[in-house]
Amino acid sequence: MMKKQNKILIANRGEIALRIIRACKELGIPCVAAHSQADRESLHVKFADEAICIGGGKSADSYLNMNNVISAAIATGCNSIHPGYGFLAENEKFIELLERCKLTFIGPGSDAVRKLGDKALARQIAKAAGIPILEGSDGTVRDLKEAERVAGRIGFPLLIKATAGGGGKGISIVNGGDELLKMFELTKMEAEANFGNPDVYLEKHIEKPRHVEVQFLADKHGNVVYFPERDCSVQRRNQKMIEESPSPFVSESLRKQLGEATVKLVKATDYVNAGTVEFIVDEDGNFYFLEVNARIQVEHPVTEVLTGVDLVKEQIRIAYNDELSIKQDDIAFSGHALECRITAEDPLKDFQPSPGLVRNLVLPGGPGIRIDTHLYNDYEVPPHYDSLLAKLIVWAPTRKEAIRKMRVALEQFIIDGVKNNIDILYLILHNTNFVRGIYDTGFMKSFMEILKGEI
Ligand code: ADP
Ligand code: ADP
Ligand code: MG
């Protein structure tokens, strides 16, 4: 039951902070924007009921500073914290601290996050739950000898992955034995630098894979539901750029298998709240567990516009002990949803971040269009954070119509002042293979090679 005295601190920024504010307001729950000095002029600060500064521009000084975030919640009388994605969203220490302070974390419990946040351990748990995993090491690989032994068993190419990795960082490909030593040391160093944890594991590299993932919701009363899969195979640097649902590649029977595997894993870990299980699907349609994202995801609107379920509101209700407002049989879908991530990056310079002052902003509109963005004219994109500027989401009765709608919307989306990927997205939406739904995670690399060769 939702109590009158609920009040939510939003420990995030940008478009997701705005998204959460909207859910809070629609539910009638007061919310507070915890923001850095660099985000003073941001829309989430303006639109929240209250705002409180939690430190300097650097993430470590504000959005990642647990003490400041918790103090801000207490000082503003909040009883709960929504972490959004990134930052502290999957930090088990943070969640533990909140549990001790009797603050409600709007997300999974520290136990589930501990089990699933370690990607090597999550593989083991998935395997034990009867979910197919890729060939690889049994847990963390301690030294080169062990790495050589695993490589001997699974062959090349293989991936070395940071157990604490995320956001496409901490993954290296090894094509042969001569590269193993160098890449092993390098990935460990990178993992330590990025995640404060040098542990790595090995996994077989799949050629021409599709990234397919399943959103789920689980409440405290044992109810679990899964949603139709999202295909996120259009990626640059192992990071998603376009997402769609349903996947043009997934059959009804595979959809059911992915969903049931997801529910098994959720139940095996006593996971409560929203999350996503990521899978690799190979050319032959075999699926393998990849990892769990124990939080709301960037691409959650794709599922929202396809099914009509408000995932962020469900997150909040679940955290306040309510039962899910939907059952598995209620999750019907029709038509097709597509999302483009619009980022402040220079596509011709290997998608390097490009902060700066936003000018001449024009947002598209019309039926079936949703835009999640924190942009406004003369907004200064700070250099400290993620390059995501906006998410453009469309729904239409068929995939073809959704593609056409997205093309028109991209034509009418204008952002000057910062380099961005709108033109590239427009070209992808005209690419024959994309239009036919024939693509894998290698799509962007060859697309950019051809593009650069032509200009
Ligand atoms: P999604 O599947 O939600 O798109 P991404 O991998 O693109 O997930 O990451 C979403 C956001 O979270 C990005 O801002 C990314 O930089 C950040 N992120 C993801 N994992 C981590 C992590 N382990 N540590 C820090 N930031 C992360
Ligand atoms: P992160 O935690 O950074 O999101 P993931 O393990 O989810 O890392 O992998 C990110 C992306 O890297 C995947 O979406 C996929 O494109 C690629 N990838 C990961 N594992 C494999 C694999 N075993 N074979 C081929 N590609 C992979
Ligand atoms: Mg992932």
Side-chain angles (χ1 to χ4, degrees):
M1 282 288 272
M2 296 219 196
K3 289 181 291 183
K4 277 250 152 49
Q5 62 270 34
N6 286 328
K7 187 171 175 184
I8 297 175
L9 184 89
I10 299 164
N12 214 301
R13 61 180 303 283
E15 64 86 19
I16 194 66
L18 278 178
R19 170 69 188 88
I20 300 163
I21 289 172
R22 288 180 180 135
C24 292
K25 297 214 157 183
E26 286 174 31
L27 288 170
I29 303 170
C31 60
V32 181
H35 66 91
S36 72
Q37 278 164 357
D39 278 337
R40 229 183 233 128
E41 305 296 327
S42 264
L43 282 187
H44 68 287
V45 174
K46 191 180 160 92
F47 288 152
D49 298 304
E50 287 171 53
I52 181 165
C53 184
I54 50 167
K58 275 195 253 156
S59 302
D61 298 335
S62 47
Y63 298 106
L64 285 174
N65 187 319
M66 299 185 211
N67 290 339
N68 289 9
V69 171
I70 292 174
S71 305
I74 293 167
T76 53
C78 290
N79 69 335
S80 33
I81 298 186
H82 197 305
Y85 53 70
F87 298 126
L88 297 171
E90 291 171 279
N91 189 311
E92 64 184 70
K93 265 194 220 140
F94 178 65
I95 304 170
E96 251 169 44
L97 271 175
L98 296 196
E99 286 164 356
R100 270 193 255 145
C101 299
K102 302 265 180 276
L103 287 166
T104 300
F105 180 71
I106 303 176
S110 59
D111 239 30
V113 172
R114 185 176 314 107
K115 288 179 193 151
L116 297 168
D118 178 328
K119 291 170 72 179
L121 182 58
R123 261 169 60 88
Q124 304 295 104
I125 293 169
K127 190 179 169 190
I131 298 161
I133 61 167
L134 289 161
E135 280 185 84
S137 55
D138 296 325
T140 303
V141 171
R142 263 150 306 176
D143 51 30
L144 184 67
K145 263 220 171 102
E146 197 182 339
E148 281 170 341
R149 227 178 10 249
V150 177
R153 176 160 55 80
I154 68 175
F156 296 98
L158 56 79
L159 295 176
I160 306 178
K161 289 185 167 184
T163 58
K169 290 193 198 99
I171 302 178
S172 314
I173 185 158
V174 187
N175 290 302
D178 50 331
E179 295 174 9
L180 193 58
L181 169 66
K182 191 178 122 206
M183 296 317 286
F184 187 71
E185 297 299 333
L186 205 74
T187 314
K188 281 177 86 69
M189 267 162 52
E190 241 182 60
E192 173 71 52
N194 279 300
F195 310 109
N197 178 350
D199 289 350
V200 295
Y201 65 106
L202 263 51
E203 195 174 82
K204 191 180 173 64
H205 180 260
I206 298 292
E207 300 296 324
K208 300 189 184 299
R210 297 191 72 127
H211 174 115
V212 174
E213 59 182 33
V214 179
Q215 171 79 54
F216 64 85
L217 289 173
D219 67 18
K220 291 178 186 166
H221 309 275
N223 303 303
V224 185
V225 297
Y226 69 88
F227 290 83
E229 77 289 344
R230 295 185 291 248
D231 193 316
C232 316
S233 303
V234 179
Q235 304 181 347
R236 47 104 185 71
R237 281 192 261 102
N238 293 328
Q239 279 185 339
K240 300 155 190 169
M241 197 157 144
I242 299 178
E243 298 98 347
E244 60 179 310
S245 184
S247 166
F249 187 75
V250 170
S251 64
E252 185 106 19
S253 98
L254 181 56
R255 178 166 307 129
K256 195 151 185 269
Q257 288 179 62
L258 292 168
E260 284 169 1
T262 297
V263 172
K264 256 198 238 171
L265 188 59
V266 172
K267 293 202 163 157
T269 49
D270 292 322
Y271 189 113
V272 171
N273 214 281
T276 298
V277 184
E278 297 188 332
F279 298 94
I280 286 271
V281 180
D282 70 13
E283 276 184 295
D284 302 324
N286 302 306
F287 71 90
Y288 305 94
F289 170 81
L290 197 56
E291 66 157 341
V292 176
N293 290 154
R295 54 174 158 84
I296 192 76
Q297 269 185 296
V298 175
E299 59 273 24
H300 76 276
V302 172
T303 302
E304 293 186 325
V305 303
L306 189 77
T307 63
V309 175
D310 186 317
L311 294 168
V312 177
K313 279 192 201 162
E314 289 298 323
Q315 280 195 297
I316 296 170
R317 291 199 187 103
I318 292 168
Y320 295 155
N321 304 323
D322 279 8
E323 282 204 46
L324 289 182
S325 66
I326 34 160
K327 300 217 161 24
Q328 190 63 54
D329 287 347
D330 302 331
I331 300 175
F333 72 92
S334 68
H336 201 88
L338 265 178
E339 174 182 272
C340 285
R341 294 194 194 187
I342 293 162
T343 48
E345 292 177 353
D346 187 348
L348 297 181
K349 287 196 180 139
D350 203 20
F351 294 95
Q352 258 175 41
S354 166
L357 192 67
V358 171
R359 308 300 295 269
N360 304 326
L361 180 70
V362 178
L363 300 179
I369 303 278
R370 166 171 167 182
I371 303 168
D372 281 19
T373 183
H374 54 296
L375 290 194
Y376 58 85
N377 261 321
D378 295 331
Y379 170 73
E380 177 93 38
V381 178
H384 310 284
Y385 314 108
D386 200 82
S387 56
L388 187 65
L389 293 176
K391 302 186 306 205
L392 175 57
I393 306 109
V394 307
W395 179 91
T398 64
R399 185 170 185 271
K400 273 217 168 100
E401 288 165 282
I403 289 174
R404 282 174 174 270
K405 197 179 274 291
M406 185 63 91
R407 288 176 182 168
V408 177
L410 286 165
E411 255 170 34
Q412 298 176 358
F413 205 139
I414 301 169
I415 306 172
D416 287 344
V418 292
K419 294 225 162 55
N420 63 70
N421 61 343
I422 292 177
D423 292 348
I424 295 289
L425 288 164
Y426 185 77
L427 292 176
I428 296 173
L429 268 286
H430 286 79
N431 177 278
T432 315
N433 286 334
F434 181 80
V435 170
R436 290 184 183 157
I438 309 166
Y439 62 88
D440 56 61
T441 60
F443 174 86
M444 274 305 288
K445 190 162 177 274
S446 52
F447 179 86
M448 289 309 293
E449 273 165 15
I450 293 168
L451 187 73
K452 282 182 180 169
E454 283 177 356
I455 52 177

